[in-house]
Amino acid sequence: MKVELTRYRVKEGKTPKVMEWLDFLNNHMEDVLVTLEGEKMFVETIFHEHLNGEEYLYWYSVQGNGGLDVEDSAHWIDKKHLEYWDECIDESFGSVDLTTKVVMIPEKVRASMND
């Protein structure tokens, strides 16, 4: 199981498109949740922050081993998600993986993730 929190910088001037993207995901949650199964993604959460004049999106995820990469998905929702990604995420910044120090998932929940 992988537990990650990663920060990505948003391209300058893309705030309206980011808001559209997040609304799109929220408004199509039924389809989004279908794609998570193939990725073996148990939890995926996106956070939004403005810090020191920059805008960031953070992805928090809890994922099982051997899941499909979103880039390999043929599902229309993933293709649209990646279009937003390409338009909004500043690839020149790269990404920052925060260091996992403690993972607190009760055994009963972990067991259900392994089923």
Side-chain angles (χ1 to χ4, degrees):
M1 176 174 27
K2 262 190 324 193
V3 178
E4 297 178 307
L5 176 60
T6 305
R7 177 178 61 222
Y8 301 92
R9 187 169 65 192
V10 173
K11 292 176 183 174
E12 190 173 329
K14 290 297 180 178
T15 300
K17 191 54 100 170
V18 165
M19 295 298 102
E20 179 184 310
W21 182 10
L22 300 177
D23 287 342
F24 169 80
L25 293 172
N26 278 313
N27 292 331
H28 294 87
M29 190 56 63
E30 189 173 311
D31 286 313
V32 168
L33 294 177
V34 167
T35 68
L36 296 184
E37 288 192 32
E39 297 172 20
K40 295 192 179 176
M41 188 69 68
F42 301 117
V43 176
E44 185 172 18
T45 307
I46 302 171
F47 295 87
H48 183 231
E49 178 183 45
H50 288 274
L51 179 66
N52 300 325
E54 299 286 347
E55 183 175 9
Y56 298 94
L57 292 176
Y58 294 76
W59 261 257
Y60 168 76
S61 63
V62 179
Q63 185 176 26
N65 298 320
L68 182 69
D69 288 335
V70 68
E71 292 88 354
D72 296 330
S73 172
H75 197 284
W76 74 271
I77 202 90
D78 286 331
K79 291 184 182 302
K80 185 67 175 171
H81 176 62
L82 291 173
E83 285 177 25
Y84 279 114
W85 180 280
D86 290 340
E87 185 170 348
C88 297
I89 298 300
D90 182 355
E91 295 290 346
S92 71
F93 176 76
S95 62
V96 177
D97 291 318
L98 284 73
T99 304
T100 304
K101 294 295 188 181
V102 178
V103 176
M104 295 173 278
I105 301 174
E107 189 53 44
K108 169 168 66 172
V109 175
R110 280 181 190 256
S112 71
M113 291 176 170
N114 292 326
D115 290 345

